[in-house]
Amino acid sequence: MAVYNLGSINADLVYRVPHLPKPGETLAANDHSRGLGGKGANMSVALARAGSETHHIGAIGSDGAWMLDRMAAYGVETKYVAKSEIASGHAVISVDDAGENSILLFPGANQQIEDTAISRALDCAKAEDILIFQNETNGLDQAACLGKSKGMRIAYAAAPFDAKSVEKLLPLIDLLFLNEVEAAQLQDATGLAPENLPVSDVVVTLGAKGARWYDTYANTQTNIPAISVTPVDTTGAGDTFTGYVVAGLDQGMAMGDALALAARAGALMVTRHGTADVIPTREEVRDFAP
Ligand code: RIB
């Protein structure tokens, strides 16, 4: 089995700051670095490091070759990543001393993925494969329709949140990832609580409180307890969690076991500075003793 991920690829320009900048404030950073990021690339790296065959579908500009090299080095198949005339996406990320962040996003090539590139990639997918996407690229509707027509299981991590996109895609997806705030926003937009959404599995992440899985067919709710760690940087932890859940499912794990594995991966991730470059491997997650 394999996972096809239609997802963003960003250069993450990370600034360590004493506090998150306020409107109008000029703030000196204590440190800065450039790394591989983007919700899509982070999930692909998490999937690959968790041991799943991972095909990334996306686009970079002529400035992005280093990002593709890193993804390939981390075990992600990149032949479906197109070269665009537009500059690669990038994110300016402030991280404060408590590990919280604020992110400014330039979408760039991530929003210029051609229809033909998506269909060429998904032509190669099989019914038993999983398709995943987030909200940082174009082409979600097309990918979801193609994936559905092939009988693939479709997962959607609805971040950055856009209620209209989510509402449109609800009939096509099997697994939805939201955080607490997004779940409330979706409920405002649709009138539906997570347990009533027309999606078979809904996972709501609750930050330091863990996560909750709604099996809407069985009408059950399962809490996934948080693992207690001292966070230094929460950036990319949600992406790591999602990638590990989907990798677990791809590898035949039951949802509860995939969620427990992902909770360990996410907890380990928040103890590290950085995004895709520092996503833990399956062995590191196994040996993690919080
Ligand atoms: O979720 C974290 C990611 O959000 C960062 O890597 C950044 O690129 C933005 O896409």
Side-chain angles (χ1 to χ4, degrees), residues 130-281:
I130 299 177
L131 170 66
I132 183 167
F133 41 75
Q134 314 78 32
N135 266 342
E136 287 185 347
T137 69
N138 65 300
L140 307 190
D141 298 359
Q142 185 205 353
C145 289
L146 282 172
K148 189 85 181 168
S149 69
K150 295 200 82 142
M152 297 172 81
R153 188 172 190 177
I154 302 181
Y156 180 24
F161 188 74
D162 174 48
K164 284 207 168 59
S165 294
V166 184
E167 274 191 86
K168 204 156 39 138
L169 288 162
L170 284 175
L172 297 170
I173 59 176
D174 304 291
L175 170 56
L176 177 64
F177 292 90
L178 299 163
N179 66 29
E180 236 176 333
V181 175
E182 294 161 353
Q185 289 173 336
L186 188 58
Q187 185 162 354
D188 285 346
T190 60
L192 296 173
E195 60 269 35
N196 296 323
L197 289 168
V199 175
S200 54
D201 293 290
V202 180
V203 176
V204 178
T205 55
L206 307 169
K209 290 177 280 159
R212 187 168 301 134
W213 161 42
Y214 299 87
D215 179 335
T216 65
Y217 285 177
N219 198 20
T220 57
Q221 295 182 19
T222 309
N223 288 327
I224 297 87
I227 294 167
S228 178
V229 287
T230 304
V232 300
D233 184 355
T234 56
T235 322
D239 307 333
T240 301
F241 175 87
T242 303
Y244 263 82
V245 174
V246 172
L249 298 175
D250 168 61
Q251 292 165 41
M253 291 173 82
M255 178 66 99
D257 295 334
L259 287 163
L261 174 73
R264 290 176 63 78
L268 178 53
M269 181 65 181
V270 301
T271 67
R272 299 176 170 186
H273 283 289
T275 40
D277 302 298
V278 300
I279 289 173
T281 63

Side-chain angles (χ1 to χ4, degrees), residues 10 12 37-39 42 91 93 103 105 136 235-236 239 275:
N10 292 336
D12 278 356
K39 295 186 194 308
N42 295 342
I93 304 178
I103 302 179
L105 204 59
E136 287 185 347
T235 322
D239 307 333
T275 40

Side-chain angles (χ1 to χ4, degrees), residues 34-77:
R34 184 187 77 165
L36 172 65
K39 295 186 194 308
N42 295 342
M43 286 181 206
S44 277
V45 173
L47 282 154
R49 288 197 163 153
S52 282
E53 181 184 321
T54 306
H55 300 268
H56 194 96
I57 309 168
I60 51 164
S62 57
D63 53 345
W66 65 274
M67 298 195 280
L68 217 52
D69 290 346
R70 283 198 196 179
M71 289 173 73
Y74 299 153
V76 178
E77 172 56 64

